[in-house]
């Protein structure tokens, strides 16, 4: 999937996203498959102020800045979630 | 027909196998007869006349469903227990059911989800026959609204070396006869409480989730799990997580927000007992 760094993605309408309180990542409920997906933060949890609000949109830059991912890992995570129909690109 | 009351569910068991009827009497014989409707009607039957006399095999049926392949008749008592587990796990949708032991002390529950071979049942039998109450060896029954876990009146299923180990620790423990050479090895069910004690139990809140792993080479080693790791493992160990859908997701999320979550490696159950009592129960409100 070819995306520009500025591409934005939203969770599909039947998803539910939870910010894990210790800053370890996001848990995403996929309303279509009933599966649960995770975005694992690479940041040192003790160094966090964790995110205070659940993001409504995801961008590669967001994952790099907030979850400490490499650009490659961020794009791979987004590609995977698009493939699983958890995320959709905002046009 | 034999009545088997496991507290929350009532079974009607049809069996003409003496070893099964004997095991039921050992494990559930102290439950007083109650005029309750049956939740499940199950049967242990020979599939054919040939298999009744030549290498006899037995099948488990719940109504018309037979979820397992036929097994040698010598394994029938274990097959009944596994079948009863299946009935509950496959049909109970009002609670989140996690494949986990549940041990309770001072009105606080600790869940022990684990893979086979992790030492979960050995640990459960040791604690359950000591100062803890065993709410379950196999299934944590969690109310999605209150997040409290309810007790089941079931034995603990021990395998292989753990049978003699628990007999050594607790010489007076009551065992059903050993079923030899099952797919899990030698299996015996041990009674960890009597009916009188069971009736005193009530739903309690969960204060911790501990993923145990027996390791003969390792003294007690404790790892704190992140919320994400605990969420992942807990949801993967739930029998009906996907069936409950969003409700299952919310329930797991609510549990891990209230619990401390650990993975432990151990080679001495007494050290685990001390850790649970002194570091988890004492620290929780």
């Amino acid at each position: 999937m070819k995306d520009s760094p500025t591409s934005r993605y939203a969770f599909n309408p039947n998803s539910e996203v939870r910010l894990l309180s210790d800053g370890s990542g996001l848990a995403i409920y996929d309303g279509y498959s009933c599966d649960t997906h995770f975005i694992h933060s690479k940041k040192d949890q003790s160094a966090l102020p964790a995110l205070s609000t659940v993001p409504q949109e995801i961008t590669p830059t967001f994952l790099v800045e907030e979850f400490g991912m490499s650009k490659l890992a961020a794009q791979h995570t987004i590609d995977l979630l698009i493939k699983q129909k958890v995320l959709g690109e905002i046009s | 027909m034999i009545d088997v009351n496991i507290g929350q569910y009532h079974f009607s068991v049809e069996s003409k196998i003496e070893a099964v009827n004997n095991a039921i009497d050992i494990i559930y014989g102290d439950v007083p007869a109650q005029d309750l409707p049956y939740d499940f009607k199950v049967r242990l039957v020979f599939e054919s006349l040939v298999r009744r006399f030549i290498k006899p095999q037995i099948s488990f049926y719940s109504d018309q469903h037979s979820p397992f392949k036929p097994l040698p008749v010598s394994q029938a008592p274990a097959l009944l227990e596994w079948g009863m587990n299946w009935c509950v796990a496959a049909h109970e949708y009002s609670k989140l059911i996690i494949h986990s032991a549940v041990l309770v002390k001072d009105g606080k529950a600790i869940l022990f989800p684990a893979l086979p071979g992790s030492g979960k049942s050995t640990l459960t039998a040791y604690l359950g026959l000591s100062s803890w109450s065993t709410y379950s060896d196999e299934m944590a029954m969690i109310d999605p609204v209150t997040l409290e876990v309810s007790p089941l009146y079931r034995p603990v299923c021990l395998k292989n070396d753990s049978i003699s180990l628990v007999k050594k620790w607790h010489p007076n423990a009551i065992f059903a006869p050993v079923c030899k050479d099952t797919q899990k090895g030698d299996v015996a069910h041990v009674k960890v409480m009597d009916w009188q004690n069971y009736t005193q139990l009530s739903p309690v809140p969960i204060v911790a989730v501990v993923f145990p792993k027996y390791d003969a080479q390792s003294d007690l080693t404790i790892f704190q799990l992140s919320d994400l790791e605990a969420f992942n493992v807990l949801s993967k160990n739930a029998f009906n997580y996907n069936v409950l859908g969003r409700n299952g997701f919310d329930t797991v999320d609510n549990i891990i927000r209230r619990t401390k979550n650990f993975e432990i490696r151990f080679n001495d159950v007494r050290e685990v007992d001390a850790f649970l009592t002194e570091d988890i129960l004492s620290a929780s409100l």
Side-chain angles (χ1 to χ4, degrees):
Chain A
M1 190 158 297
K2 293 177 181 174
D3 299 288
S4 76
T6 54
S7 297
R8 295 157 56 221
Y9 306 88
F11 295 102
N12 80 44
N14 292 310
S15 295
E16 181 67 27
V17 185
R18 293 289 161 76
L19 199 58
L20 297 167
S21 58
D22 64 351
S24 55
L26 290 179
I28 307 158
Y29 171 71
D30 175 3
Y32 286 124
S33 68
C34 295
D35 288 336
T36 300
H37 307 275
F38 298 96
I39 297 179
H40 195 162
S41 175
K42 305 292 182 194
K43 281 191 173 177
D44 178 5
Q45 286 162 39
S46 61
L48 283 178
L51 284 172
S52 56
T53 54
V54 176
Q56 300 302 309
E57 297 175 7
I58 295 272
T59 64
T61 307
F62 171 85
L63 293 181
V64 170
E65 290 177 355
E66 299 295 340
F67 289 89
M69 290 183 178
S70 68
K71 287 180 182 172
L72 195 63
Q75 192 59 57
H76 177 72
T77 299
I78 285 174
D79 288 348
L80 198 64
L81 292 173
I82 290 171
K83 194 175 171 184
Q84 292 167 327
K85 297 185 169 54
V86 177
L87 283 180
E89 187 167 7
I90 302 171
S91 53
Chain B
M1 298 288 187
I2 306 169
D3 282 4
V4 175
N5 183 352
I6 64 168
Q8 295 183 48
Y9 307 99
H10 194 198
F11 287 79
S12 160
V13 179
E14 182 184 332
S15 159
K16 292 178 179 169
I17 302 155
E18 193 178 336
V20 171
N21 302 351
N22 183 32
I24 290 173
D25 193 43
I26 291 170
I27 301 295
Y28 304 102
D30 58 346
V31 183
Q34 291 171 293
D35 187 19
L36 296 170
Y38 294 119
D39 297 295
F40 303 102
K41 288 189 175 182
V42 303
R43 293 175 288 142
L44 287 168
V45 294
F46 294 99
E47 285 286 4
S48 69
L49 195 62
V50 174
R51 280 303 196 182
R52 186 170 190 140
F53 297 105
I54 302 170
K55 293 187 177 178
Q57 285 189 334
I58 201 83
S59 290
F60 173 89
Y61 279 86
S62 169
D63 292 328
Q64 301 307 312
H65 300 287
S66 183
F68 310 117
K69 289 180 178 174
L71 290 177
V73 70
S74 61
Q75 300 175 19
L79 179 61
L80 174 64
E81 289 290 343
W82 297 332
M84 287 161 66
N85 285 343
W86 176 86
C87 287
V88 175
H91 297 95
E92 175 57 85
Y93 300 142
S94 67
K95 290 176 178 159
L96 179 69
I97 306 178
I98 295 174
H99 181 219
S100 168
V102 184
L103 287 147
V104 173
K105 199 176 191 180
D106 302 334
K108 300 167 187 172
I110 299 178
L111 305 191
F112 296 85
L115 295 170
S118 61
K120 167 179 69 79
S121 294
T122 313
L123 180 64
T124 304
Y126 172 80
L127 295 173
L129 290 164
S130 304
S131 54
W132 295 70
S133 298
T134 305
Y135 272 39
S136 179
D137 172 41
E138 284 289 330
M139 290 185 282
M141 313 287 296
I142 301 165
D143 186 311
V145 177
T146 65
L147 301 179
E148 291 183 330
V149 62
S150 302
L152 288 172
Y153 190 59
R154 302 299 304 279
V156 173
C157 180
L158 295 171
K159 296 117 199 162
N160 303 313
D161 293 344
S162 63
I163 299 170
S164 54
L165 206 53
V166 172
K167 282 183 176 175
K168 192 175 89 179
W169 291 331
H170 299 282
N172 297 324
I174 298 169
F175 280 79
V178 177
C179 297
K180 298 272 188 191
D181 300 325
T182 74
Q183 59 182 357
K184 300 179 179 182
D186 293 351
V187 164
H189 288 84
V190 59
K191 192 176 169 80
V192 283
M193 74 174 71
D194 59 30
W195 179 255
Q196 186 64 35
N197 286 334
Y198 174 80
T199 57
Q200 307 301 314
L201 305 179
S202 57
V204 294
I206 304 162
V207 298
V209 180
V210 176
F211 300 89
K213 175 69 184 162
Y214 175 77
D215 181 348
Q217 309 304 319
S218 174
D219 290 337
L220 181 63
T221 312
I222 302 158
F223 307 92
Q224 182 144 16
L225 295 182
S226 69
D227 284 0
L228 187 144
E229 290 167 323
F231 200 129
N232 191 12
V233 184
L234 216 51
S235 59
K236 283 187 168 57
N237 276 281
F239 288 113
N240 57 355
Y241 182 76
N242 279 38
V243 177
L244 294 187
R246 168 76 186 277
N247 204 10
F249 177 83
D250 288 340
T251 304
V252 173
D253 182 40
N254 288 328
I255 291 169
I256 61 158
R257 285 176 194 278
R258 289 164 169 76
T259 56
K260 294 177 178 177
N261 308 303
F262 301 96
E263 181 180 320
I264 59 170
R265 295 200 187 127
F266 69 98
N267 63 4
D268 185 342
V269 288
R270 287 162 296 194
E271 287 182 350
V272 179
D273 191 1
F275 163 64
L276 300 174
T277 305
E278 294 165 19
D279 293 331
I280 294 183
L281 293 187
S282 299
S284 63
L285 296 174

